Amino acid sequence: MRVLSGIQPSGEALHLGNFFGALRQFVALQEEHEMLLFIADYHSMNSVRDGAARRANTLAVALDYLACGLDPTRAMLFRQSDMPEVTELAWLLSTVTPMGLLERGHAYKDKVAQGQSADHGLFAYPVLQAADILLYHSDLVPVGQDQKQHIEMARDIAQRFNHTYGEDLLVVPEPYIPEEVAVVSGTDGRKMSKSYGNTIPMFGKPKEVKKSVMGIVTDSTPVENPKEPVGHLFELWSLFADEAEREEMFARARAGGLGYGEVKKDLLARLNARFEPMRERRAELEQKPDDVEDVLADGAQRAREIARPVLDACREAAGLGGGRR
Ligand code: ADP
Ligand code: TRP
């Protein structure tokens, strides 16, 4: 199966929710599938207006993925804008995309509902996203729940294009939304999200990480009292423990004598042990930006080998370009 996903280079530091909810899944998929992962820098133009920031953010995403174990000899990791072909396919697709379909788009509707004026880029975002997916004949697109609508639009657009110019031109992709991916709670018990300021950073400085872990909000049950091992502190801790360790810790909580402070300290130790190798790897790669560029260039070259024939077939079927063969 060919699996593809894209990540926006937002410039935000990765947090535990991103790791357990997204990165870890993507990295695991490389084991069994042909995996394409691109950094959606064209898409980021709708929100980030600073070129230097975009370039830096794009590199940061590449570092994050490589540090988390994405293997560039297996998966193709590339920058969206190294594949300008995608903008050509986006144009072809836009000619068969009804206005009504785009008018139902969440991102666009939300912006208009907030009374802001939207740019054409935001309105047409789902068409570019469809091109991202369809250009590579992707079978499966792993995404979060919030992206489901965009994948459905891509399916719709693919079907319309095929219907117009030839049934086998584009592969109709399936979304892949892993059910078992639980929402990771933040330090205040709400969903961990950069917009709530309740995150635990993955690649943060030791002091920063410590501060957010020790700042996890709990009730004021005294140490000696028995506690039900539920709630966001135990949930976060459980992300770093196996079944047997969980049972042991939970039994201690129920018996009384286990304080929240101890659970936090143990969580911090486990978290550091798990992420330290990744932090080191990231710091190493950061010193070698040219090597990262090589990885992206190689990823783009391999992705282009897939993309070129797909785009050429669409051009040919649509009567674009010269007819001489
Ligand atoms: P944020 O909520 O911090 O803005 P994003 O929306 O940028 O995060 O999410 C990037 C990816 O990380 C998405 O695939 C999303 O599903 C995943 N993700 C973000 N927060 C969480 C969370 N708390 N639990 C699980 N997955 C999450
Ligand atoms: N829109 C996605 C997001 O904001 C990023 C993205 C762009 C994407 N193109 C894609 C995801 C193609 C999957 C497939 O998260």
Short mmCIF file of all heavy atoms in Angstrom, two decimals, residues 7 10 12-13 15-23 26 143-147 181-186 190-196 199, ligand 1:
data_model
loop_
_atom_site.label_atom_id
_atom_site.label_comp_id
_atom_site.label_asym_id
_atom_site.label_seq_id
_atom_site.Cartn_x
_atom_site.Cartn_y
_atom_site.Cartn_z
N ILE A 7 2.45 17.42 6.64
CA ILE A 7 2.47 18.14 7.92
C ILE A 7 2.78 19.60 7.62
O ILE A 7 3.71 19.91 6.88
CB ILE A 7 3.60 17.67 8.84
CG1 ILE A 7 3.81 16.17 8.73
CG2 ILE A 7 3.35 18.12 10.27
CD1 ILE A 7 5.12 15.82 8.11
N SER A 10 4.52 24.71 11.12
CA SER A 10 3.88 25.82 11.84
C SER A 10 4.88 26.61 12.67
O SER A 10 4.59 27.72 13.11
CB SER A 10 2.81 25.26 12.77
OG SER A 10 3.43 24.46 13.75
N GLU A 12 5.79 25.65 15.58
CA GLU A 12 5.53 25.34 16.99
C GLU A 12 6.37 24.15 17.42
O GLU A 12 6.60 23.23 16.64
CB GLU A 12 4.05 24.99 17.18
CG GLU A 12 3.10 26.08 16.79
CD GLU A 12 3.07 27.23 17.80
OE1 GLU A 12 3.50 27.00 18.95
OE2 GLU A 12 2.62 28.32 17.44
N ALA A 13 6.77 24.16 18.68
CA ALA A 13 7.55 23.04 19.20
C ALA A 13 6.62 21.83 19.36
O ALA A 13 5.47 21.97 19.74
CB ALA A 13 8.16 23.41 20.54
N HIS A 15 4.82 18.67 20.88
CA HIS A 15 4.47 18.27 22.24
C HIS A 15 4.06 16.80 22.27
O HIS A 15 3.96 16.15 21.22
CB HIS A 15 3.41 19.20 22.83
CG HIS A 15 2.13 19.30 22.03
ND1 HIS A 15 1.26 18.24 21.90
CD2 HIS A 15 1.59 20.32 21.32
CE1 HIS A 15 0.22 18.62 21.17
NE2 HIS A 15 0.41 19.87 20.79
N LEU A 16 3.85 16.29 23.49
CA LEU A 16 3.53 14.88 23.67
C LEU A 16 2.31 14.44 22.87
O LEU A 16 2.25 13.32 22.38
CB LEU A 16 3.25 14.62 25.16
CG LEU A 16 4.30 13.87 25.94
CD1 LEU A 16 5.65 14.55 25.86
CD2 LEU A 16 3.89 13.74 27.40
N GLY A 17 1.33 15.33 22.75
CA GLY A 17 0.13 15.01 21.97
C GLY A 17 0.49 14.76 20.51
O GLY A 17 0.02 13.81 19.90
N ASN A 18 1.37 15.59 19.97
CA ASN A 18 1.80 15.41 18.58
C ASN A 18 2.55 14.09 18.42
O ASN A 18 2.38 13.39 17.43
CB ASN A 18 2.75 16.53 18.12
CG ASN A 18 2.14 17.91 18.21
OD1 ASN A 18 2.81 18.86 18.60
ND2 ASN A 18 0.87 18.05 17.87
N PHE A 19 3.38 13.77 19.41
CA PHE A 19 4.18 12.55 19.30
C PHE A 19 3.29 11.31 19.34
O PHE A 19 3.31 10.48 18.43
CB PHE A 19 5.24 12.46 20.40
CG PHE A 19 6.05 11.19 20.34
CD1 PHE A 19 6.99 11.02 19.34
CD2 PHE A 19 5.83 10.17 21.25
CE1 PHE A 19 7.72 9.82 19.26
CE2 PHE A 19 6.56 8.99 21.18
CZ PHE A 19 7.51 8.81 20.19
N PHE A 20 2.47 11.19 20.39
CA PHE A 20 1.65 9.98 20.54
C PHE A 20 0.48 9.97 19.56
O PHE A 20 0.03 8.91 19.14
CB PHE A 20 1.16 9.83 21.98
CG PHE A 20 2.25 9.43 22.92
CD1 PHE A 20 2.83 10.36 23.77
CD2 PHE A 20 2.74 8.13 22.93
CE1 PHE A 20 3.86 9.99 24.64
CE2 PHE A 20 3.76 7.75 23.79
CZ PHE A 20 4.33 8.68 24.65
N GLY A 21 0.00 11.15 19.18
CA GLY A 21 -1.17 11.22 18.31
C GLY A 21 -0.83 11.18 16.84
O GLY A 21 -1.67 10.86 16.01
N ALA A 22 0.40 11.54 16.47
CA ALA A 22 0.69 11.65 15.05
C ALA A 22 2.05 11.05 14.67
O ALA A 22 2.12 10.03 13.97
CB ALA A 22 0.62 13.12 14.61
N LEU A 23 3.14 11.64 15.15
CA LEU A 23 4.46 11.22 14.67
C LEU A 23 4.74 9.73 14.84
O LEU A 23 5.22 9.08 13.93
CB LEU A 23 5.56 12.00 15.43
CG LEU A 23 5.95 13.28 14.75
CD1 LEU A 23 5.10 14.41 15.28
CD2 LEU A 23 7.42 13.58 14.96
N PHE A 26 3.01 7.71 12.23
CA PHE A 26 3.61 7.85 10.90
C PHE A 26 4.90 7.04 10.80
O PHE A 26 5.14 6.34 9.83
CB PHE A 26 3.96 9.32 10.62
CG PHE A 26 2.76 10.18 10.37
CD1 PHE A 26 2.89 11.55 10.29
CD2 PHE A 26 1.52 9.64 10.18
CE1 PHE A 26 1.80 12.37 10.05
CE2 PHE A 26 0.40 10.43 9.95
CZ PHE A 26 0.55 11.81 9.88
N VAL A 143 -4.50 10.61 8.90
CA VAL A 143 -4.70 12.00 9.34
C VAL A 143 -5.49 12.00 10.65
O VAL A 143 -6.06 10.98 11.05
CB VAL A 143 -5.51 12.82 8.32
CG1 VAL A 143 -4.68 13.24 7.13
CG2 VAL A 143 -6.77 12.09 7.89
N GLY A 144 -5.53 13.15 11.27
CA GLY A 144 -6.39 13.34 12.43
C GLY A 144 -7.83 13.54 11.98
O GLY A 144 -8.10 13.84 10.80
N GLN A 145 -8.73 13.39 12.92
CA GLN A 145 -10.16 13.53 12.65
C GLN A 145 -10.48 14.84 11.92
O GLN A 145 -11.34 14.88 11.04
CB GLN A 145 -10.90 13.48 14.00
CG GLN A 145 -12.39 13.31 13.93
CD GLN A 145 -12.78 11.94 13.37
OE1 GLN A 145 -12.13 10.94 13.66
NE2 GLN A 145 -13.82 11.90 12.55
N ASP A 146 -9.75 15.90 12.28
CA ASP A 146 -10.04 17.22 11.71
C ASP A 146 -9.78 17.29 10.20
O ASP A 146 -10.25 18.22 9.54
CB ASP A 146 -9.20 18.29 12.43
CG ASP A 146 -7.71 18.05 12.27
OD1 ASP A 146 -7.27 16.89 12.35
OD2 ASP A 146 -6.97 19.03 12.04
N GLN A 147 -9.04 16.32 9.67
CA GLN A 147 -8.71 16.36 8.25
C GLN A 147 -9.61 15.46 7.40
O GLN A 147 -9.42 15.34 6.19
CB GLN A 147 -7.25 15.93 8.04
CG GLN A 147 -6.24 16.92 8.59
CD GLN A 147 -6.31 18.24 7.85
OE1 GLN A 147 -6.40 18.29 6.63
NE2 GLN A 147 -6.31 19.33 8.59
N VAL A 181 -5.99 5.72 18.71
CA VAL A 181 -5.19 6.86 19.14
C VAL A 181 -6.01 7.73 20.08
O VAL A 181 -6.89 8.47 19.67
CB VAL A 181 -4.71 7.69 17.94
CG1 VAL A 181 -3.93 8.91 18.41
CG2 VAL A 181 -3.84 6.85 17.04
N ALA A 182 -5.69 7.60 21.36
CA ALA A 182 -6.43 8.36 22.35
C ALA A 182 -5.94 9.81 22.33
O ALA A 182 -4.81 10.08 21.93
CB ALA A 182 -6.23 7.74 23.71
N VAL A 183 -6.79 10.67 22.76
CA VAL A 183 -6.39 12.07 22.89
C VAL A 183 -5.49 12.19 24.13
O VAL A 183 -5.84 11.71 25.20
CB VAL A 183 -7.64 12.96 23.04
CG1 VAL A 183 -7.24 14.39 23.39
CG2 VAL A 183 -8.45 12.93 21.76
N VAL A 184 -4.35 12.79 23.95
CA VAL A 184 -3.43 12.98 25.08
C VAL A 184 -3.86 14.23 25.85
O VAL A 184 -4.08 15.29 25.25
CB VAL A 184 -1.98 13.13 24.57
CG1 VAL A 184 -1.02 13.41 25.72
CG2 VAL A 184 -1.54 11.88 23.81
N SER A 185 -3.98 14.09 27.16
CA SER A 185 -4.40 15.23 27.98
C SER A 185 -3.23 16.15 28.25
O SER A 185 -2.08 15.71 28.36
CB SER A 185 -4.94 14.76 29.32
OG SER A 185 -5.93 13.81 29.13
N GLY A 186 -3.54 17.41 28.42
CA GLY A 186 -2.52 18.39 28.79
C GLY A 186 -2.37 18.50 30.30
O GLY A 186 -3.06 17.81 31.05
N ARG A 190 -7.30 19.30 30.06
CA ARG A 190 -7.95 19.44 28.75
C ARG A 190 -7.07 18.78 27.71
O ARG A 190 -5.95 18.38 28.00
CB ARG A 190 -8.12 20.93 28.40
CG ARG A 190 -9.17 21.63 29.25
CD ARG A 190 -9.40 23.05 28.79
NE ARG A 190 -8.25 23.89 29.03
CZ ARG A 190 -8.12 25.14 28.57
NH1 ARG A 190 -9.07 25.67 27.84
NH2 ARG A 190 -7.04 25.86 28.84
N LYS A 191 -7.55 18.67 26.47
CA LYS A 191 -6.72 18.10 25.40
C LYS A 191 -5.41 18.88 25.31
O LYS A 191 -5.42 20.11 25.34
CB LYS A 191 -7.49 18.21 24.08
CG LYS A 191 -6.67 17.76 22.89
CD LYS A 191 -7.32 18.12 21.55
CE LYS A 191 -6.35 17.79 20.44
NZ LYS A 191 -6.26 18.56 19.30
N MET A 192 -4.29 18.17 25.23
CA MET A 192 -3.02 18.88 25.10
C MET A 192 -3.00 19.59 23.76
O MET A 192 -3.19 18.98 22.71
CB MET A 192 -1.84 17.92 25.20
CG MET A 192 -0.50 18.63 25.26
SD MET A 192 0.94 17.55 25.48
CE MET A 192 0.76 17.00 27.15
N SER A 193 -2.79 20.89 23.80
CA SER A 193 -2.80 21.66 22.57
C SER A 193 -2.02 22.96 22.77
O SER A 193 -2.11 23.58 23.82
CB SER A 193 -4.24 22.00 22.18
OG SER A 193 -4.24 22.93 21.12
N LYS A 194 -1.28 23.32 21.72
CA LYS A 194 -0.50 24.56 21.86
C LYS A 194 -1.43 25.76 22.10
O LYS A 194 -1.05 26.71 22.77
CB LYS A 194 0.40 24.79 20.66
CG LYS A 194 -0.32 24.80 19.34
CD LYS A 194 0.66 24.75 18.18
CE LYS A 194 -0.07 24.71 16.85
NZ LYS A 194 0.02 23.40 16.17
N SER A 195 -2.66 25.65 21.60
CA SER A 195 -3.55 26.80 21.79
C SER A 195 -4.09 26.92 23.22
O SER A 195 -4.62 27.95 23.58
CB SER A 195 -4.69 26.79 20.77
OG SER A 195 -5.07 25.49 20.46
N TYR A 196 -3.92 25.87 24.04
CA TYR A 196 -4.34 25.96 25.44
C TYR A 196 -3.16 26.26 26.38
O TYR A 196 -3.35 26.39 27.59
CB TYR A 196 -4.99 24.67 25.92
CG TYR A 196 -6.30 24.33 25.24
CD1 TYR A 196 -6.68 23.01 25.07
CD2 TYR A 196 -7.15 25.33 24.78
CE1 TYR A 196 -7.87 22.69 24.46
CE2 TYR A 196 -8.35 25.01 24.17
CZ TYR A 196 -8.71 23.68 24.00
OH TYR A 196 -9.88 23.36 23.40
N THR A 199 0.90 22.29 27.26
CA THR A 199 1.67 21.22 26.61
C THR A 199 2.89 20.81 27.44
O THR A 199 3.39 21.57 28.25
CB THR A 199 2.17 21.67 25.23
OG1 THR A 199 3.04 22.80 25.40
CG2 THR A 199 1.03 22.06 24.32
P1 ADP B 1 -2.35 21.48 18.42
O1 ADP B 1 -3.66 21.00 19.00
O2 ADP B 1 -1.30 21.62 19.47
O3 ADP B 1 -2.53 22.72 17.59
P2 ADP B 1 -2.06 20.24 15.88
O4 ADP B 1 -3.49 20.54 15.56
O5 ADP B 1 -1.01 21.00 15.17
O6 ADP B 1 -1.85 20.36 17.45
O7 ADP B 1 -1.85 18.69 15.67
C1 ADP B 1 -0.83 18.09 14.92
C2 ADP B 1 -1.05 16.58 14.99
O8 ADP B 1 -0.92 16.11 16.34
C3 ADP B 1 -2.44 16.14 14.53
O9 ADP B 1 -2.32 14.93 13.79
C4 ADP B 1 -3.20 15.88 15.80
O10 ADP B 1 -4.17 14.87 15.63
C5 ADP B 1 -2.10 15.44 16.77
N1 ADP B 1 -2.43 15.89 18.13
C6 ADP B 1 -2.36 17.16 18.59
N2 ADP B 1 -2.71 17.24 19.89
C7 ADP B 1 -3.02 15.97 20.26
C8 ADP B 1 -3.47 15.38 21.48
N3 ADP B 1 -3.63 16.11 22.59
N4 ADP B 1 -3.70 14.06 21.51
C9 ADP B 1 -3.51 13.30 20.41
N5 ADP B 1 -3.10 13.78 19.22
C10 ADP B 1 -2.86 15.10 19.13
#
